Amino acid sequence: LIVDRLSLPDAGSEPVSLPSLLGCDGQQWIKDFVSSKVLLKQDAAAAKQEAGFRRPYSDPVLNSDVIYGRLIQRMIDSGVVDLTVNPQEVVQNVGVFAVRKKNDRQRLVVDARGSNFWFSEPGHVHLPTGSALSMLELGPDEELYVADADIANAFYNMALPAELRKYFAMRGLQARHAGVTSVGGQAVGATQMVWPRLAVLPMGWSHALELCQRVHEHLVRDSGEVSPEQAVVDRRRPPHLAMGAHAEYVDNFISFALEPDRANHLRDLG
């Protein structure tokens, strides 16, 4: 893991709340999600014991307080973590490591296996599959045009509800190592322990894909120019291409049309 190569939101960024992304009923949907998906402490402990889980994995380079502090400072600047000085606001730790992306960049990945034991199984999501794409039909003289786009740092631009952040804490460190002088508007000493907690959807959380997919589908529908009937989805009759079609795959959007301008137009909407 090389801190300067990580693909994170720009400094000064703030993640967008999930309720605002999910529309008028978003607040209630998140409230219902939290109340129905979080398990009791004894159930989480039993699941951990049955699985033989001990601790999450973190890149060994982060054993260095200097490097770990630089990472936390970068994550604070990007709006990816918040801080607490209260260890009682830490329920479960996560680990972090990086995988290589193109252009010599790195994607920060969260080992949230421990966190996942605190939640029930995620809901089913309807994704476009190879089988669904293969069912698109063209006339003998028609050509298919495809355009695509992806949401940059999608997971790390969506805010994790505050009541869930205690399940996604990183190891504590002295404030000085991350250049922290205050938490929640209160001054902290250089040697005071602070605990970073993920403030965005963690890659590695079992529910992150479901939430990101739901947000993406809502935003596409909310554009008002494409309908759910035009979506390419597994185990559903393929849409007619005369008006164009679209597919949302987590943080990727693909448009299909019989004219290139229409494909690009739909892509821009997504």
Side-chain angles (χ1 to χ4, degrees):
L1 185 153
I2 302 175
V3 175
D4 293 338
R5 294 183 184 177
L6 292 173
S7 291
L8 293 173
D10 294 335
S13 297
E14 292 187 10
V16 183
S17 71
L18 288 175
S20 67
L21 291 170
L22 289 169
C24 58
D25 60 345
Q27 191 69 50
Q28 186 62 47
W29 194 94
I30 292 297
K31 182 179 179 180
D32 293 342
F33 176 91
V34 172
S35 64
S36 64
K37 295 296 185 179
V38 180
L39 301 178
L40 298 175
K41 181 178 180 180
Q42 58 265 33
D43 294 331
K48 287 183 189 178
Q49 184 175 11
E50 182 179 355
F53 176 80
R54 293 188 177 183
R55 64 181 64 88
Y57 171 80
S58 282
D59 191 315
V61 73
L62 298 178
N63 291 332
S64 163
D65 287 336
V66 173
I67 297 177
Y68 183 59
R70 286 182 57 213
L71 171 65
I72 298 305
Q73 190 169 31
R74 174 82 187 281
M75 295 174 77
I76 293 171
D77 291 343
S78 300
V80 173
V81 297
D82 67 10
L83 297 173
T84 181
V85 296
N86 185 357
Q88 294 184 344
E89 294 181 345
V90 172
V91 171
Q92 176 64 53
N93 284 344
V94 299
V96 294
F97 57 96
V99 295
R100 184 178 299 174
K101 296 178 61 177
K102 59 186 177 182
N103 300 326
D104 205 30
R105 303 294 292 170
Q106 293 184 346
R107 174 179 285 112
L108 186 68
V109 180
V110 175
D111 181 356
R113 288 176 296 164
S115 306
N116 289 336
F117 290 115
W118 288 90
F119 297 88
S120 59
E121 291 295 315
H124 180 72
V125 294
H126 300 280
L127 297 173
T129 62
S131 176
L133 293 172
S134 70
M135 295 177 68
L136 293 173
E137 296 182 356
L138 290 171
D141 298 319
E142 293 177 334
E143 294 182 339
L144 179 64
Y145 294 88
V146 180
D148 69 289
D150 64 79
I151 305 172
N153 300 313
F155 290 86
Y156 295 151
N157 278 302
M158 298 182 190
L160 183 69
E163 55 266 52
L164 298 181
R165 296 178 186 182
K166 59 186 177 182
Y167 300 104
F168 300 92
M170 299 170 68
R171 76 170 173 88
L173 75 166
Q174 292 183 4
R176 63 189 175 96
H177 290 304
V180 173
T181 57
S182 67
V183 173
Q186 300 296 316
V188 297
T191 60
Q192 186 168 350
M193 292 296 294
V194 297
W195 285 268
R197 307 180 310 169
L198 289 173
V200 296
L201 293 185
M203 284 186 177
W205 180 32
S206 56
H207 289 272
L209 184 148
E210 174 191 3
L211 290 170
C212 187
Q213 179 73 14
R214 179 176 288 272
V215 166
H216 196 174
E217 290 176 354
H218 172 78
L219 293 176
V220 170
R221 289 196 303 270
D222 200 45
S223 70
E225 195 157 338
V226 294
S227 68
E229 289 72 26
Q230 292 171 260
V232 180
V233 178
D234 191 32
R235 299 182 182 181
R236 184 189 299 175
R237 183 188 299 274
H240 295 292
L241 292 172
M243 294 299 296
H246 60 93
E248 296 81 61
Y249 192 90
V250 194
D251 57 348
N252 294 282
F253 180 84
I254 309 171
S255 61
F256 309 88
L258 301 180
E259 300 87 21
D261 289 345
R262 178 64 177 166
N264 289 330
H265 178 66
L266 291 175
R267 185 267 317 279
D268 294 339
L269 291 173

